[in-house]
Amino acid sequence: MLMYNRRVQATVAIVGGGIFVFYISNIEPAPVSGRKRFIITTPNIEEALGNYQYDSLLKEYRGRTYADNHPDVIRVKRVMKRLIAVSGMEDIDWKVHVVVDPSVGPNAMVLPGGKVFVYASMLSLTANDDQLATVFSHETAHQLARHIGEKLSKQPFYSFAVLATWLLTGSTGLANLVIQFALSLPASRQMESEADYIGLMMMSQACYDPRQAIPFWQTMEKQSMMRPMEFMSDHPSDRTRIAQISQWMPKALEIREQSQCHSTQKYFDELRNSFTFYQGIRDSDTTF
């Protein structure tokens, strides 16, 4: 009977219309990829969350990080310096930490606000700086695209969808599973693929060889035999990543060509090789 009540109908129409207008007015394109997405958080909120997580990680890893003058830290800073130069995020207070923890598998992250963490085990899997740039361009791309903010913005809709599904099924567990596999995991995989795409273009513009992304992910595939099937994961499979990167490779190589990397790569190599250990420390201190 309520559906025939004009007041209820008017209220539903007004609320629904307001939600629709709110949703449409907060859709914006992601950088580089141009994908349209809903986002309502601000960069300041995301940076505040990143700073909170940064402080927590510093406490957790106290005594288990390399000193700033360690060769691995200098290597990461060297790669990040070139990626930052093409990211549009040069004004952020960047920090780099290399964590030594044999109990944790290879991983890396860039928090909102430019705080970089990488496990030493990840560095051992990268055969050269081009492969290391594959890792950090991907992680930096997450921050450039503000994927943290996008995930936070989706949470109210996920909560509403869980409630609606629970009302229909009467099962909270089933409702959570439906939303996870129908909405949350696919959205996460989409953002991971987007970070792969943006990162590939970014490393190409920074004059790293994008073709090295393929052998890196092949190495990662050999290291991840126990991962769940793709539809159960918040990341695409390494095989999917390799296939996608292969499709994007012509554009990445075109960007690298347009960046005049043939003339600048020799300069970068000669500059790197001419630095002594202590000169490398001095150079990294001016950037971070």
Side-chain angles (χ1 to χ4, degrees):
M1 294 296 293
L2 289 175
M3 292 305 296
Y4 293 98
N5 187 306
R6 290 184 177 180
R7 283 187 179 178
V8 173
Q9 291 176 350
T11 301
V12 171
I14 292 172
V15 172
I19 292 175
F20 178 76
V21 170
F22 177 73
Y23 183 85
I24 294 298
S25 62
N26 286 283
I27 289 180
E28 62 179 50
V32 184
S33 71
R35 177 179 63 89
K36 300 295 179 63
R37 80 284 180 72
F38 172 77
I39 188 167
I40 57 174
T41 60
T42 66
N44 288 338
I45 292 175
E46 296 158 21
E47 185 172 352
L49 291 173
N51 288 337
Y52 176 80
Q53 187 178 3
Y54 178 59
D55 291 338
S56 298
L57 289 174
L58 283 181
K59 293 178 182 177
E60 180 181 353
Y61 297 140
R62 183 173 297 165
R64 290 185 288 163
T65 58
Y66 286 143
D68 285 343
N69 61 357
H70 191 280
D72 283 349
V73 178
I74 294 174
R75 181 191 176 200
V76 173
K77 288 184 177 182
R78 182 175 66 236
V79 171
M80 283 300 303
K81 183 175 183 178
R82 282 166 60 176
L83 294 175
I84 292 168
V86 300
S87 71
M89 298 187 291
E90 299 93 331
D91 296 334
I92 293 177
D93 182 25
W94 291 90
K95 302 288 185 183
V96 169
H97 301 279
V98 178
V99 181
V100 185
D101 189 345
S103 66
V104 180
N107 197 12
M109 66 188 84
V110 176
L111 304 177
K115 306 307 184 286
V116 181
F117 286 89
V118 58
Y119 292 98
S121 55
M122 174 63 81
L123 300 181
S124 64
L125 295 180
T126 55
N128 48 53
D129 281 3
D130 299 292
Q131 293 187 14
L132 189 58
T134 300
V135 175
F136 287 114
S137 62
H138 170 90
E139 297 300 331
T140 303
H142 277 307
Q143 302 314 317
L144 180 62
R146 295 180 57 203
H147 285 160
I148 292 295
E150 184 176 349
K151 288 182 178 180
L152 291 173
S153 300
K154 291 177 183 291
Q155 288 306 312
F157 292 96
Y158 290 161
S159 298
F160 178 79
V162 168
L163 176 61
T165 306
W166 173 74
L167 290 173
L168 290 173
T169 64
S171 172
T172 304
L174 179 60
N176 284 318
L177 283 175
V178 168
I179 300 310
Q180 182 180 13
F181 286 102
L183 296 176
S184 180
L185 291 179
S188 181
R189 290 194 296 269
Q190 184 182 44
M191 283 184 267
E192 288 295 328
S193 291
E194 183 173 62
D196 284 340
Y197 176 80
I198 296 174
L200 194 70
M201 304 307 150
M202 186 187 302
M203 67 180 290
S204 301
Q205 190 175 356
C207 294
Y208 287 109
D209 186 353
R211 292 167 293 191
Q212 286 295 313
I214 293 177
F216 168 75
W217 285 114
Q218 288 172 337
T219 299
M220 291 298 291
E221 185 177 20
K222 296 175 183 177
Q223 296 286 323
S224 56
M225 301 302 293
M226 299 301 294
R227 284 189 183 178
M229 290 183 288
E230 185 171 87
F231 80 95
M232 299 177 64
S233 174
D234 56 358
H235 284 61
S237 68
D238 296 325
R239 187 167 300 180
T240 296
R241 279 181 146 148
I242 292 169
Q244 290 176 336
I245 288 171
S246 298
Q247 292 178 351
W248 302 328
M249 192 60 63
K251 183 172 181 61
L253 291 173
E254 180 182 352
I255 288 177
R256 189 170 187 268
E257 185 72 26
Q258 292 172 352
S259 298
Q260 299 180 339
C261 295
H262 291 299
S263 59
T264 59
Q265 187 64 50
K266 183 178 180 181
Y267 167 77
F268 280 127
D269 291 341
E270 291 179 351
L271 186 65
R272 181 183 63 187
N273 293 334
S274 67
F275 279 172
T276 66
F277 181 74
Y278 293 102
Q279 285 174 323
I281 297 171
R282 184 179 62 187
D283 179 68
S284 64
D285 286 343
T286 63
T287 306
F288 296 89

